Amino acid sequence: MKDIKFNIGCEDIEELINGGAYYVDKTAYLKNILMSSSEVKNSLFIRPRRFGKTLNLSMIKEFCKLNYQNPEDKSYQQKLFIDNGRSLAVAGEDYSEFREKVMGEFPVISISFKTVEGSCFQRAVSQLLYKFGMIYDEFDFLSKSSKQDPDDIETYRANKKFCKNQKDELYEPQNLSKAISIISTAIPQIGAMLYQEFGRKVIVIIDEYDVPLQKAVIAEEPYYSKMLEIIRTISGNTFKKDNLPWLYKAVVSGCLRIAHQSVFTDANNFTTYGMGDEPYTGFFGFTQDETGKLLENCDLSDKSSEVKEWYDGYRFGKQHIFCPWSLVSYCNQALHSDNDKPQQFWINTSGNDLITMFTKNSMETHDAGNLSKLQQLLDGERVNITLEEFTTYPDIHDRVSFDVFMTLMLHTGYVTYTEDSDSSEEVTIRIPNQEVLSCFIAKQKFLYGENNPYWFNQAMILVDLLLENKELQAQELITSMLMSFLSVRKTRSEFYYHGFMTGVLGFACSAKGLEFHEEIEKGSGFPDVVLKRDSTDTVTVLEFKKGNNDRLARIDSANYATAQIIEQKYAEPFLKEGYSKVYGIGIGFGGKNCVVKSLGNMAKKK
């Protein structure tokens, strides 16, 4: 194996390159982004998490950033991008004129909203204020400059002091109002001062603009409308339609495309680049060529088919894109351990509550339509949806349409466009790869376990119904549970229903302290399930059969199951042990329905 160094999770281009870590070159895109026409003054890039947004924005910042102590000095960029021995695209002769005009030529204001969250509005504002306080620190030299207006200096110092002193949550109304005012005006204030200081226009970078909106929706005390007003005001003041003499270009990133009228109301020349928009489809994530080169450099070319199955599948425009976080994590694992088997990486980088919230909500509201379509995706099928442009961030605690939810899932990387989809309003989607499918599988443990009170209570009731020989109530409940059950399967075989029932009954019996046996030898064969409650001297023997999705076929299957209980003498051992209540129950399945037939108390027929 080759000695290749990876810096997993590194989002700083300087740290990555100077640290000698592997880097997939994206510098070829700098020219398009920074030298594009005035009609594309500001750019919003929408991509899923862990696809390299922050690293690419760091690249833009470090390439353009002026040396504030010596504006003519470009040695920092020369060393980082040109003389590093990596032969980056931007170091080529074709970029010489571009480098002359852009490299090290601009003041850059860069801020990330990635970690801005709070259980209430005041805490989230406090997080934002801290972020802007760091910007005031970075440009503190402005408050000491003779080129600045004394009133601007006074305001700068007062704002910086306020940011530093507000370490606790902003519960005093006047402090909260002051904090929001500073947050809303900091970028244009500092931008104008930088322009005054250096006579050069400013580049503004905002990373993960929508994270505070996401967090506001799912907070203990939701505050979406208040946070939306802050983000909208920041946008309006920074990118307003009036020609700002100090602003050269802005680059903003996020996961979710929220309608212009909601966030970028007063934005000037703002162009949004989604996953299907050229010329930046290969800017985030690894293309097939980049992935092939990485695997070749790591002597892992023989693993390309497995890597493709696990980490490929995303479609940005006409390109197949691999998840960079997962791919680098896999290569690092394969090179520096004995394990070269693909596994989940992307899915473990942050909470994956979208799947849980949606499916749990659909189960509790008995929304069979949503669950049926989601089941199609889990079965590897394609599903048609209408893309939604959000005017607000969807509250996934509430019941939302399948199209709204799947648009959200598309933006966050859980599903992707199919190859023949044109990324217009009507699109076809699928689950991209094995890694994401594994996430859905993992979520089943939550959805159908003790952590989900709704499902857990249904399972507990079902055990009681079967041990009390209440066949019609059991039939109704099992059918209801099947309607809200999601599985990852190739076909609906008898094993599918067997797995469903053993899973449900197994954890419920464990919680109740009852005996649960699966396919133990009894009589002349192996009954599917045996339930025992010694406190009531009760045993229930269960046998499952699959029929067609037709009522008569299900009845035949249930009768066949009960006949097998008799023929194979599954109940005989319990009758000999003297149990006073021994029930034989056959269940015939088909589709999302079942028929339950009971032989009654076989102990009384002895």
Side-chain angles (χ1 to χ4, degrees):
M1 288 291 181
K2 294 186 177 180
D3 185 20
I4 294 177
K5 180 180 179 180
F6 294 102
N7 190 342
I8 300 171
C10 178
E11 297 175 327
D12 185 315
I13 191 73
E14 180 183 17
E15 178 186 341
L16 195 70
I17 290 180
N18 289 342
Y22 193 93
Y23 174 61
V24 173
D25 183 14
K26 298 293 184 178
T27 62
Y29 290 92
L30 286 168
K31 190 173 182 179
N32 265 347
I33 294 170
L34 298 166
M35 291 290 286
S36 55
S37 69
S38 59
E39 295 178 359
V40 189
K41 187 179 183 71
N42 307 310
S43 302
L44 169 62
F45 291 100
I46 299 297
R47 292 295 189 278
R49 60 185 177 81
R50 294 302 185 186
F51 270 76
K53 296 191 297 292
T54 302
L55 180 61
N56 284 356
L57 266 56
S58 170
M59 173 186 70
I60 295 171
K61 174 187 176 182
E62 300 305 326
F63 184 81
C64 298
K65 187 174 68 175
L66 188 70
N67 182 332
Y68 303 121
Q69 286 70 46
N70 183 4
E72 302 306 317
D73 178 24
K74 299 184 180 183
S75 59
Y76 169 77
Q77 284 85 8
Q78 184 71 28
K79 179 181 178 182
L80 186 62
F81 291 95
I82 314 302
D83 301 330
N84 55 28
R86 293 175 182 256
S87 300
L88 299 180
V90 78
E93 187 63 31
D94 293 344
Y95 290 83
S96 58
E97 183 179 351
F98 166 68
R99 293 196 301 269
E100 186 66 27
K101 292 180 178 180
V102 175
M103 190 175 79
E105 289 290 331
F106 296 92
V108 180
I109 299 174
S110 178
I111 188 168
S112 173
F113 292 164
K114 183 176 294 187
T115 58
V116 175
E117 60 180 302
S119 59
C120 64
F121 180 59
Q122 290 85 349
R123 291 187 178 183
V125 172
S126 180
Q127 287 288 315
L128 275 172
L129 195 66
Y130 173 76
K131 295 275 189 179
F132 281 96
M134 294 173 67
I135 294 180
Y136 278 108
D137 279 344
E138 180 182 358
F139 298 107
D140 190 54
F141 61 84
L142 294 172
S143 67
K144 304 177 181 67
S145 172
S146 61
K147 295 182 181 181
Q148 302 298 326
D149 184 284
D151 289 341
D152 291 339
I153 289 176
E154 183 179 349
T155 301
Y156 190 103
R157 289 174 176 172
N159 288 352
K160 177 186 174 185
K161 183 179 179 180
F162 185 88
C163 291
K164 288 294 183 183
N165 290 340
Q166 295 300 316
K167 295 180 180 179
D168 299 322
E169 291 77 25
L170 303 165
Y171 291 109
E172 292 294 330
Q174 65 272 23
N175 288 342
L176 181 61
S177 178
K178 175 66 174 177
I180 293 173
S181 176
I182 291 174
I183 290 167
S184 301
T185 59
I187 294 178
Q189 178 207 8
I190 297 172
M193 293 178 74
L194 285 168
Y195 184 57
Q196 176 69 26
E197 186 73 14
F198 300 106
R200 306 187 189 206
K201 292 190 175 185
V202 178
I203 292 173
V204 174
I205 297 173
I206 300 178
D207 189 25
E208 304 285 14
Y209 88 95
D210 58 335
V211 166
L213 300 174
Q214 298 176 37
K215 301 299 183 181
V217 171
I218 62 175
E220 294 176 18
E221 303 173 23
Y223 48 89
Y224 178 83
S225 59
K226 294 179 181 179
M227 183 55 69
L228 177 61
E229 185 60 33
I230 290 180
I231 302 300
R232 180 189 290 132
T233 305
I234 292 173
S235 167
N237 289 339
T238 305
F239 315 121
K240 60 186 177 183
K241 293 176 181 177
D242 298 335
N243 184 33
L244 296 172
W246 60 267
L247 181 63
Y248 177 67
K249 284 187 184 295
V251 183
V252 182
S253 79
C255 283
L256 189 61
R257 185 198 299 259
I258 299 179
H260 272 50
Q261 63 267 32
S262 297
V263 178
F264 303 108
T265 308
D266 298 318
N268 179 41
N269 298 329
F270 228 103
T271 301
T272 301
Y273 295 101
M275 287 175 278
D277 297 321
E278 298 291 353
Y280 301 110
T281 54
F283 186 35
F284 300 95
F286 293 170
T287 65
Q288 292 190 83
D289 289 344
E290 290 166 345
T291 299
K293 183 178 179 181
L294 171 59
L295 294 176
E296 180 182 349
N297 290 337
C298 295
D299 288 338
L300 292 170
S301 295
D302 60 323
K303 299 293 181 181
S304 59
S305 60
E306 293 177 74
V307 167
K308 181 177 178 64
E309 178 186 356
W310 271 80
Y311 309 123
D312 185 17
Y314 292 98
R315 180 175 168 243
F316 295 173
K318 296 181 180 180
Q319 301 227 42
H320 281 264
I321 300 294
F322 290 72
C323 176
W325 172 275
S326 301
L327 198 56
V328 169
S329 297
Y330 167 72
C331 290
N332 184 64
Q333 170 191 274
L335 287 180
H336 301 112
S337 75
D338 295 330
N339 182 10
D340 62 358
K341 300 294 183 184
Q343 58 181 274
Q344 297 178 37
F345 294 107
W346 175 79
I347 226 65
N348 296 321
T349 60
S350 68
N352 294 286
D353 295 330
L354 287 177
I355 299 170
T356 302
M357 288 182 181
F358 178 71
T359 49
K360 184 167 179 267
N361 179 271
S362 297
M363 287 162 59
E364 292 176 351
T365 57
H366 304 286
D367 195 328
N370 280 357
L371 289 170
S372 177
K373 291 177 183 176
L374 191 53
Q375 183 65 66
Q376 286 180 257
L377 288 171
L378 296 180
D379 290 343
E381 298 177 23
R382 299 145 45 113
V383 173
N384 296 323
I385 66 167
T386 299
L387 291 178
E388 299 286 343
E389 185 178 42
F390 305 120
T391 54
T392 62
Y393 208 97
D395 186 351
I396 51 181
H397 286 293
D398 293 336
R399 185 172 180 175
V400 297
S401 72
F402 187 80
D403 287 349
V404 167
F405 185 76
M406 281 301 145
T407 301
L408 182 61
M409 297 282 268
L410 183 67
H411 286 309
T412 48
Y414 291 94
V415 296
T416 190
Y417 299 108
T418 59
E419 285 72 10
D420 57 353
S421 191
D422 61 5
S423 302
S424 61
E425 290 185 6
E426 301 288 337
V427 300
T428 307
I429 59 170
R430 58 177 170 76
I431 291 177
N433 53 43
Q434 184 62 41
E435 182 179 34
V436 178
L437 182 61
S438 297
C439 175
F440 283 89
I441 297 172
K443 284 301 172 184
Q444 285 183 295
K445 295 178 182 178
F446 175 90
L447 292 169
Y448 306 113
E450 295 182 37
N451 291 322
N452 185 340
Y454 167 80
W455 188 265
F456 182 68
N457 290 338
Q458 302 305 298
M460 298 285 273
I461 292 170
L462 179 59
V463 168
D464 288 338
L465 292 177
L466 292 172
L467 283 167
E468 293 166 11
N469 196 41
K470 295 179 178 179
E471 55 186 312
L472 291 180
Q473 293 98 315
Q475 177 177 303
E476 182 179 2
L477 183 55
I478 293 171
T479 299
S480 173
M481 295 177 79
L482 280 170
M483 292 298 292
S484 61
F485 179 67
L486 288 169
S487 68
V488 180
R489 60 181 190 266
K490 297 296 183 183
T491 60
R492 275 206 183 101
S493 66
E494 190 171 306
F495 295 108
Y496 159 71
Y497 297 107
H498 183 97
F500 166 75
M501 290 298 292
T502 56
V504 169
L505 299 174
F507 81 78
C509 285
S510 176
K512 283 178 169 287
L514 304 177
E515 283 191 50
F516 168 85
H517 300 284
E518 179 184 1
E519 294 186 332
I520 59 171
E521 185 173 2
K522 292 294 177 183
S524 302
F526 300 85
D528 284 327
V529 168
V530 173
L531 308 177
K532 290 176 67 177
R533 179 185 276 153
D534 285 340
S535 63
T536 58
D537 207 29
T538 304
V539 172
T540 297
V541 178
L542 297 166
E543 186 65 27
F544 313 131
K545 296 297 177 185
K546 176 188 177 297
N548 297 324
N549 192 13
D550 171 85
R551 183 173 181 275
L552 292 178
R554 293 193 297 273
I555 292 173
D556 288 343
S557 295
N559 289 332
Y560 178 45
T562 55
Q564 183 171 318
I565 292 173
I566 296 172
E567 291 169 6
Q568 297 295 321
K569 301 179 180 180
Y570 291 154
E572 287 297 323
F574 305 110
L575 297 174
K576 290 179 180 178
E577 292 175 23
Y579 281 91
S580 61
K581 288 174 281 188
V582 180
Y583 302 116
I585 295 177
I587 305 178
F589 292 97
K592 290 275 189 177
N593 294 282
C594 74
V595 168
V596 176
K597 291 288 185 179
S598 174
L599 294 168
N601 186 356
M602 302 175 74
K604 289 185 176 181
K605 301 175 183 179
K606 186 177 177 182

